[in-house]
């Protein structure tokens, strides 16, 4: 499938049209940003790792009956996906306290939560992706009541499957961000699932195997991404 016109360019990915109006190509770049693009850099081979890792997660989830936008991986950095009308809401699921939740409620990172927490953020870079709730989502028409109910259930289901998959590979899924979109009347999981969008900790050492190594200047960024790819590939 040939790349057509560039439809969208984000911080870490580009989206290209194809000859089929229902399909687009998602291209993974090495560019990395954090703190709403105030910190910028590149993580060598990140695009290749995230493309491959997302393929593995999407294929696993499809096998568990979760509908995703994934069709096939075309090359190291290109993935053919179903074209979605994106719901402009970032859905974050949390299993362990970390990141912005730790700051917001003033508790240390690392405390396991008794149940998964679901949070919504309005997808708007200029506003810094502010936190919102279901009432904002339905009032401003970003999704209907029925869609947000479906998205919430899907996010929690996906989280349960990923926790199980990763546990078998000695990895804790601390939290993760998901995006959903509409395709021919159905809600599908979109975007990517990788160390840019999830916090992965080694189960025994709690070593961080994700983008926090870049965000917090911890070093060993590329090695952590490679290690995660190795674990999910087994
Ligand atoms: O920063 P925060 O703790 O809210 O992030 C929660 C999860 O969502 C983390 O896994 C982070 O990688 C992900 N995230 C993301 N894109 C954003 C914000 C958060 O992938 N814009």
């Amino acid at each position: 499938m040939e790349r057509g016109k560039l439809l969208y360019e984000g911080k870490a990915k580009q989206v290209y049209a194809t000859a089929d109006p229902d399909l687009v190509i998602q291209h993974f770049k090495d560019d990395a940003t954090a703190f709403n693009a105030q910190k910028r850099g590149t993580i060598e081979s990140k695009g290749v790792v995230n493309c491959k890792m997302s393929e593995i997660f999407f294929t696993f989830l499809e096998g568990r009956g979760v509908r995703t936008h994934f069709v096939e991986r075309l090359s190291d950095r290109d993935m053919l996906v179903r074209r979605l009308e994106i719901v402009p809401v970032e859905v974050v699921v949390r299993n362990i306290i970390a990141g912005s939740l730790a700051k917001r409620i003033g508790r240390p990172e690392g405390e396991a939560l008794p149940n998964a927490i679901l949070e919504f953020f309005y997808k708007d870079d200029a506003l810094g992706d502010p936190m919102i709730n279901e009432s904002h989502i339905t009032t401003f028409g970003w999704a209907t009541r029925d869609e947000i109910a479906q998205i919430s259930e899907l996010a929690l289901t996906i989280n349960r499957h990923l926790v199980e998959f990763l546990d078998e590979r000695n990895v804790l899924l601390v939290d993760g961000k998901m995006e959903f979109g509409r395709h021919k009347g159905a809600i599908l999981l979109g975007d990517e699932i990788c160390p840019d969008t999830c916090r992965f900790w080694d189960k025994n050492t709690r070593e961080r195997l994700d983008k926090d190594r870049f965000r917090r200047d911890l070093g060993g960024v590329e090695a952590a991404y490679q290690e995660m790819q190795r674990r999910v590939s087994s």
Side-chain angles (χ1 to χ4, degrees):
M1 184 76 71
E2 294 284 304
R3 269 194 211 168
K5 200 175 95 190
L6 177 67
L7 298 175
Y8 162 86
E9 173 136 26
K11 287 170 278 191
K13 292 192 296 297
Q14 293 168 326
V15 176
Y16 292 89
T18 69
D20 184 337
D22 284 334
L23 299 173
V24 292
I25 291 171
Q26 179 163 265
H27 174 81
F28 291 74
K29 304 191 283 185
D30 286 349
D31 298 349
T33 60
F35 314 116
N36 199 28
Q38 286 169 42
K39 181 181 169 84
R40 288 171 185 275
T42 54
I43 300 174
E44 209 190 311
S45 299
K46 175 173 84 80
V48 176
V49 171
N50 287 355
C51 185
K52 179 72 196 155
M53 225 187 281
S54 292
E55 175 193 16
I56 293 170
F57 283 125
F58 283 137
T59 306
F60 161 72
L61 289 169
E62 289 276 353
R64 291 283 177 105
V66 175
R67 293 195 60 192
T68 79
H69 70 158
F70 179 74
V71 178
E72 62 173 326
R73 190 165 57 80
L74 300 172
S75 68
D76 271 2
R77 292 174 184 272
D78 287 332
M79 180 182 275
L80 187 65
V81 296
R82 295 177 185 89
R83 187 177 201 146
L84 300 183
E85 185 196 334
I86 285 286
V87 174
V89 174
E90 299 194 339
V91 182
V92 169
V93 184
R94 301 179 184 273
N95 302 301
I96 295 174
I97 296 176
S100 71
L101 177 65
K103 279 210 187 94
R104 197 179 322 122
I105 59 166
R107 284 168 85 134
E109 293 192 303
E111 201 180 308
L113 295 162
N115 52 261
I117 287 180
L118 206 55
E119 294 173 352
F120 303 111
F121 297 85
Y122 180 41
K123 205 172 142 54
D124 187 314
D125 286 341
L127 299 175
D129 300 337
M131 195 178 191
I132 50 172
N133 63 28
E134 284 190 33
S135 179
H136 297 106
I137 295 169
T138 54
T139 302
F140 293 111
W142 296 322
T144 65
R145 206 171 285 281
D146 178 54
E147 284 174 333
I148 201 63
Q150 266 190 68
I151 286 172
S152 301
E153 199 182 318
L154 269 170
L156 291 171
T157 301
I158 291 163
N159 178 58
R160 273 196 304 276
H161 290 311
L162 293 179
V163 164
E164 191 188 316
F165 178 89
L166 289 161
D167 181 69
E168 286 165 8
R169 289 153 181 87
N170 220 28
V171 173
L172 294 169
L173 177 62
V174 174
D175 53 37
K177 186 242 346 180
M178 301 169 207
E179 294 184 26
F180 295 88
R182 307 174 187 95
H183 181 85
K184 298 184 176 174
I187 297 281
L188 270 55
L189 174 66
D191 197 42
E192 58 182 326
I193 304 177
C194 62
D196 277 11
T197 62
C198 297
R199 287 196 172 92
F200 299 127
W201 291 0
D202 178 273
K203 204 163 125 187
N204 303 324
T205 65
R206 300 212 152 197
E207 184 191 355
R208 293 168 194 269
L209 299 171
D210 56 57
K211 197 173 162 190
D212 272 350
R213 303 205 73 84
F214 168 79
R215 294 186 188 106
R216 303 179 188 191
D217 295 320
L218 300 176
V221 186
E222 282 86 359
Y225 277 64
Q226 299 287 345
E227 175 60 15
M228 269 311 299
Q229 177 169 351
R230 193 188 65 75
R231 292 199 195 187
V232 302
S233 300
S234 67

